[in-house]
Amino acid sequence: MACSIVLSSPTYKDIPAPLGQIVAEYRIDPGTAISYPVTQGQYIQIIDVSGAQCSDFLAFNANDYTQEIDSTVTRTLNGVTNPQAGLHSKYFAQSMQPLVEVIQDTCGRHDSFFLACTRRYYEDAGYPGHPSCSDNFNQVLAEYGLAARPGWPAINFFYNTQVDCHGTILSEESWSRPGDYVLLQAHQDLLCASSACPDDIDPANGWQPTSIHVRIYEANQATNKVFARAMGQRVAADFPLRLTQDSAFTPCIRKLTDDLVDYNGFWVPNSFAYQGDQAEYWALRQRSALMDLSALRKFEVTGPNAFALLQYAFSRNLEKLTPGRSGYGCLLNPHGGIVDDGIVFCFSLTHYRYVGNCDTDGDWLQRIAQRQGWTVEIEAVSDRIHNLALQGPNSRDILRPLITFADPTITLDSLGYFRFAVANVRDIPVLLSRTGYTGELGYEMFVHPEHGANLWNPLMQAGQPAGLLPLGMKALDRARIEAGLLASGYEFDDLTSPYQSGIGWTVSMKKPDLMGKAALEKIRQHPPRVAVGLVLESNEMAAYGQNIYAHGERWRIGQITSATFSPVLNRSIAMAQVVPDYAQTGTVVDVGLLDGIKRRVTATVGPLAAFDPTKSRVRV
Amino acid sequence: MNNALWDMAGVDGLAVAKYLFGEEVGYLAPFQSMETSLGGQDCSVLRLCDRNFRISYPGSLQAFIEPLQANIWLKQFDWLTSMVLPDHLFSTIISHATVRPPHRLKTIPNHQAVPAQLQGIAILLWRHPHQRQSSLELHIAQKDLKILEKVIATDITEAVQ
């Protein structure tokens, strides 16, 4: 018996609770496959019961079995190896019509390159007669008149494959954990087939095939809630799975664009309808722009040793950070690598706020405090504090009539760079900070999520006469590269020192004790590479990871970390990390485009910020 | 009379567009357009991608481009044609059309284009002034022109009436 069908309430205790009203439920025994009908609009949840178990999936148009999922069509139309919840979420048939759409995915690693496992695979490995997903599919599809195939081009959920830099398709044990699932929505009436892969001769299923569970949920939205689109993200072994979430401002943003992507666990706009990144970029540089930066992570650091902890863990000298001031720097690890970059806000000597990029920042600070025996409370408050940034030369003028400060001696015009204050925008309480990520005069407003729309809408209305536009990630990336501002994963990671990534100026070596100080002393003397800006002698754009060569030579001196075409400079620019001998301003180097051999473009070394390197615009 | 459609693209596509039409063209995002003049004649410039432009122009652009020695191509596609409709058909056209995400159809502003489908026929729907009048310009494959004309003559025009 390959499966059991349950049409009533669920009895399975080994899988997560149902997401909604179930209309059919199947337990696929290890090494077997099933076929099942799904009607348009219904949801299919494929659950890995025990973890590390692959489940190959087929879907056919129920009225025309010649229309089945085609991985090549799907990859081509989406531009990604596997569809993900969001804009590029659909699996297409050869007709280019969608058959199913990914609504949720808690694993994030699947295969669309390989066939469902075949008899031939096992025969070639010395296992003649070994069951295979393809043969199992042949059996369960025969009753529908579908001819047997030696191998079925399935979507292999939970199968961990990737294409390496040599073009080899690598496979390893599945990333999925017990209870991980993919939730699909049927776009047509379908005949589906799912397997619990029988492969026990390699690591694909962790050497031990186990069960797969399939639930079909009601399509009727009157009886079933709308399932939110989400991708699962795990940031550390001891952190819970995190699903992509809306910020307080996302409902307003969704009215203006359908181009949203998962960024750091939040749905953020790439660009806005009828605008596009160039229009948004120019609004930022010439007028003003409004952007949702709620994906930043916030931590309250309080207690008698709050200062001691941050003075030790954070690169800047916080002695100068009086209440109402903030400072940019980075959290360090013992070998001088950057754990994260961020801003510390000082409320008092016993109360600071750290705003960075990672959920694990708070955990890192907590570990340091424990090791040092310090009394500090670190509270993750990202769910209580979302933030908007109003940036651009007109931002102050837009904000001025809307804002009142709790301290009547403070005015918007007197609020200096990296200063913050409690204020109200209209009647919405915010923490107003004169900071940003754009290289322009600007402000960030930290607000409770319940006030999201009430903050977004008045700002948009107030800015409209001045040409304010909402700004997406594409335009923001262009602006931050021009301004020489770092991005995690591009300019730094925990193997990169502040001296290499271009923020050595944030490291206070005068502090008597600083995380990684001994290592940083050595790195500072002889950094393996240093960050520079490049201006290319071509209109072609460079890209992350491309190599940089000594001019006219074959040997490398560094790599591109970020690149864009700068509209304001009308030049192709890049941020790069090169060996120190080639970091002098004015040095001519070659950037290897394409394969690094076919085309070399000359570039000139300059400041990391190609645009406004003296930061005059943010200080105005 | 419709202007000719000229397509221009390449590494120096933006640089040439700026040379021809001024810095303003660099402010356009893909599928945004501007009205300008070239050689004393009205001209509409539509940005299709970072370095791809389509120009609606009554004369030849060849003479403007050749001296530049730029790394671009300039073409007139014999498989592409256009149709200009009065702007009052706009709401009816979009009510019959579909788009693929993230494109949207409702409230398409002036100086904006959207790739769409009208009863299964692929079109580029471009809202911009034509001969200084608000209009809707449709770019379609030459082979689909007659079918589209029929669709518009029946479904669209009748719907308006």
Side-chain angles (χ1 to χ4, degrees):
Chain A
M1 181 71 182
C3 69
S4 49
I5 301 175
V6 180
L7 293 175
S8 59
S9 60
T11 55
Y12 296 96
K13 302 293 186 193
D14 55 356
I15 50 176
L19 300 172
Q21 186 67 41
I22 295 172
V23 295
E25 190 165 30
Y26 312 94
R27 174 61 60 107
I28 309 173
D29 293 336
T32 67
I34 63 166
S35 57
Y36 50 98
V38 180
T39 58
Q40 185 176 9
Q42 286 183 334
Y43 297 86
I44 310 158
Q45 187 186 24
I46 300 169
I47 307 168
D48 180 356
V49 177
S50 304
Q53 173 62 44
C54 305
S55 179
D56 302 345
F57 176 76
L58 301 173
F60 306 85
N61 180 324
N63 302 309
D64 178 4
Y65 292 158
T66 67
Q67 292 303 309
E68 60 186 293
I69 289 177
D70 186 306
S71 291
T72 308
V73 173
T74 297
R75 285 193 297 269
T76 303
L77 294 184
N78 288 312
V80 294
T81 52
N82 287 292
Q84 301 170 343
L87 187 59
H88 304 293
S89 57
K90 299 182 184 76
Y91 283 97
F92 292 90
Q94 296 92 327
S95 62
M96 296 192 177
Q97 295 304 308
L99 291 177
V100 293
E101 175 181 358
V102 178
I103 303 297
Q104 294 180 6
D105 177 2
T106 65
C107 176
R109 178 58 73 93
H110 312 286
D111 168 72
S112 68
F113 287 98
F114 285 152
L115 296 168
C117 68
T118 62
R119 185 188 312 171
R120 176 172 167 161
Y121 170 69
Y122 296 106
E123 288 172 355
D124 289 350
Y127 296 88
H130 193 292
S132 71
C133 285
S134 288
D135 280 351
N136 289 340
F137 283 146
N138 286 333
Q139 278 188 345
V140 299
L141 294 173
E143 64 181 286
Y144 298 96
L146 284 157
R149 298 184 195 178
W152 283 94
I155 303 305
N156 305 310
F157 287 122
F158 311 122
Y159 186 22
N160 172 17
T161 64
Q162 63 170 323
V163 182
D164 74 7
C165 61
H166 306 293
T168 306
I169 305 176
L170 307 170
S171 71
E172 251 296 346
E173 181 180 313
S174 171
W175 285 6
S176 68
R177 277 79 157 176
D180 267 349
Y181 65 85
V182 177
L183 180 70
L184 308 168
Q185 186 174 32
H187 276 245
Q188 302 178 24
D189 289 346
L190 300 174
L191 167 65
C192 297
S194 287
S195 75
C197 177
D199 186 355
D200 53 3
I201 69 166
D202 61 38
N205 297 312
W207 303 98
Q208 184 62 52
T210 52
S211 300
I212 288 291
H213 199 91
V214 176
R215 286 176 175 143
I216 311 299
Y217 295 107
E218 178 63 68
N220 187 348
Q221 297 305 322
T223 57
N224 227 355
K225 65 177 181 179
V226 176
F227 298 122
R229 288 172 170 78
M231 295 294 293
Q233 185 185 38
R234 289 183 172 90
V235 295
D238 51 349
F239 273 60
L241 178 79
R242 180 193 175 97
L243 292 175
T244 321
Q245 67 179 88
D246 280 4
S247 82
F249 315 106
T250 315
C252 298
I253 288 169
R254 283 189 196 283
K255 292 176 184 170
L256 303 173
T257 181
D258 294 314
D259 189 2
L260 290 101
V261 291
D262 176 321
Y263 171 75
N264 204 18
F266 280 81
W267 289 117
V268 298
N270 248 335
S271 65
F272 286 84
Y274 311 135
Q275 293 181 186
D277 89 85
Q278 286 87 350
E280 294 157 26
Y281 163 89
W282 281 112
L284 168 71
R285 285 280 179 253
Q286 296 188 323
R287 304 183 303 274
S288 57
L290 189 65
M291 66 210 76
D292 178 7
L293 298 182
S294 301
L296 294 172
R297 303 298 199 261
K298 297 97 182 174
F299 303 90
E300 300 288 14
V301 182
T302 55
N305 297 126
F307 169 79
L309 171 63
L310 288 168
Q311 183 74 334
Y312 177 67
F314 191 65
S315 61
R316 294 291 288 273
N317 185 354
L318 300 185
E319 282 176 349
K320 299 169 187 170
L321 212 63
T322 51
R325 291 176 179 239
S326 60
Y328 169 77
C330 59
L331 297 177
L332 295 158
N333 64 27
H335 61 71
I338 299 176
V339 172
D340 191 15
D341 73 339
I343 294 178
V344 168
F345 294 77
C346 176
F347 293 84
S348 72
L349 283 175
T350 57
H351 179 195
Y352 293 85
R353 178 178 298 166
Y354 177 74
V355 179
N357 305 289
C358 309
D359 283 316
T360 49
D361 288 345
D363 180 62
W364 175 237
L365 290 171
Q366 192 72 60
R367 286 179 190 219
I368 295 170
Q370 280 170 356
R371 286 172 195 164
Q372 300 284 349
W374 285 328
T375 304
V376 189
E377 186 178 340
I378 293 137
E379 186 185 8
V381 292
S382 304
D383 60 340
R384 300 208 302 269
I385 304 174
H386 289 184
N387 55 307
L388 276 183
L390 177 64
Q391 305 272 300
N394 292 347
S395 56
R396 184 182 287 144
D397 295 336
I398 292 169
L399 205 51
R400 193 180 291 112
L402 302 177
I403 197 147
T404 50
F405 288 91
D407 178 347
T409 65
I410 300 174
T411 65
L412 192 63
D413 295 86
S414 68
L415 190 72
Y417 190 39
F418 277 92
R419 303 289 203 280
F420 66 93
V422 173
N424 271 26
V425 173
R426 294 255 170 94
D427 55 347
I428 305 300
V430 301
L431 184 83
L432 185 79
S433 168
R434 198 176 144 192
T435 44
Y437 189 55
T438 61
E440 292 292 342
L441 168 69
Y443 301 87
E444 290 182 85
M445 284 153 277
F446 296 86
V447 66
H448 192 282
E450 70 184 11
H451 299 305
N454 292 333
L455 183 60
W456 174 275
N457 291 329
L459 288 168
M460 286 290 289
Q461 284 166 9
Q464 200 169 27
L468 175 144
L469 291 180
L471 185 127
M473 294 297 280
K474 285 182 181 174
L476 181 61
D477 199 46
R478 212 184 270 271
R480 73 96 191 161
I481 294 170
E482 286 182 339
L485 301 172
L486 314 193
S488 174
Y490 293 88
E491 275 70 43
F492 71 86
D493 58 23
D494 54 3
L495 292 174
T496 316
S497 76
Y499 297 110
Q500 177 169 337
S501 58
I503 55 168
W505 59 271
T506 71
V507 182
S508 174
M509 295 301 282
K510 291 178 183 170
K511 290 198 278 190
D513 207 5
L514 171 68
M515 171 68 77
K517 186 174 181 182
L520 287 165
E521 288 277 18
K522 294 177 187 169
I523 295 169
R524 182 169 63 159
Q525 301 302 320
H526 302 286
R529 297 186 203 174
V530 292
V532 296
L534 296 178
V535 178
L536 280 67
E537 296 299 323
S538 167
N539 288 322
E540 286 183 277
M541 267 174 53
Y544 169 79
Q546 285 178 336
N547 291 315
I548 303 165
Y549 301 82
H551 186 47
E553 299 290 351
R554 291 180 180 169
W555 29 274
R556 297 182 302 162
I557 57 167
Q559 286 186 312
I560 301 291
T561 57
S562 294
T564 190
F565 186 85
S566 165
V568 73
L569 300 172
N570 201 21
R571 300 297 293 270
S572 179
I573 62 169
M575 296 167 75
Q577 292 177 3
V578 300
V579 294
D581 288 352
Y582 290 84
Q584 287 291 326
T585 293
T587 304
V588 174
V589 300
D590 292 343
V591 177
L593 304 182
L594 308 176
D595 61 358
I597 300 169
K598 184 178 178 185
R599 186 133 71 244
R600 296 269 177 97
V601 170
T602 302
T604 305
V605 171
L608 191 58
F611 175 63
D612 190 26
T614 61
K615 305 291 179 197
S616 62
R617 296 172 74 90
V618 295
R619 296 176 198 277
V620 69
Chain B
M1 177 189 158
N2 292 352
N3 286 342
L5 294 180
W6 295 87
D7 276 81
M8 182 177 80
V11 168
D12 296 330
L14 176 60
V16 172
K18 284 183 175 180
Y19 175 82
L20 293 175
F21 309 115
E23 289 295 315
E24 197 183 342
V25 86
Y27 291 58
L28 302 175
F31 297 111
Q32 289 186 328
S33 66
M34 58 181 267
E35 303 300 309
T36 184
S37 64
L38 184 68
Q41 300 197 77
D42 287 347
C43 177
S44 305
V45 184
L46 171 63
R47 191 173 195 173
L48 289 176
C49 199
D50 277 5
R51 294 174 285 196
N52 300 42
F53 294 86
R54 181 166 298 156
I55 302 115
S56 175
Y57 186 63
S60 170
L61 286 181
Q62 205 72 46
F64 294 99
I65 301 292
E66 272 174 0
L68 299 178
Q69 302 279 308
N71 193 1
I72 59 150
W73 54 252
L74 178 72
K75 297 179 183 179
Q76 282 189 294
F77 298 126
D78 58 6
W79 40 260
L80 182 73
T81 189
S82 66
M83 171 189 294
V84 178
L85 300 173
D87 201 51
H88 72 266
L89 289 178
F90 173 71
S91 57
T92 314
I93 290 272
I94 64 166
S95 70
H96 284 71
T98 56
V99 287
R100 301 185 187 108
H103 295 290
R104 291 181 171 190
L105 265 181
K106 287 179 185 170
T107 67
I108 302 172
N110 210 1
H111 309 292
Q112 182 79 42
V114 175
Q117 301 81 43
L118 194 59
Q119 299 199 355
I121 302 166
I123 58 172
L124 183 78
L125 207 157
W126 183 14
R127 199 172 192 197
H128 75 116
H130 182 75
Q131 295 174 349
R132 318 225 167 181
Q133 298 289 314
S134 294
S135 68
L136 196 58
E137 185 165 331
L138 270 55
H139 295 180
I140 54 262
Q142 185 75 48
K143 66 178 177 54
D144 292 332
L145 179 62
K146 287 209 173 343
I147 308 168
L148 189 71
E149 283 174 341
K150 194 174 171 187
V151 166
I152 289 171
T154 53
D155 297 2
I156 307 296
T157 310
E158 282 173 16
V160 171
Q161 289 164 353

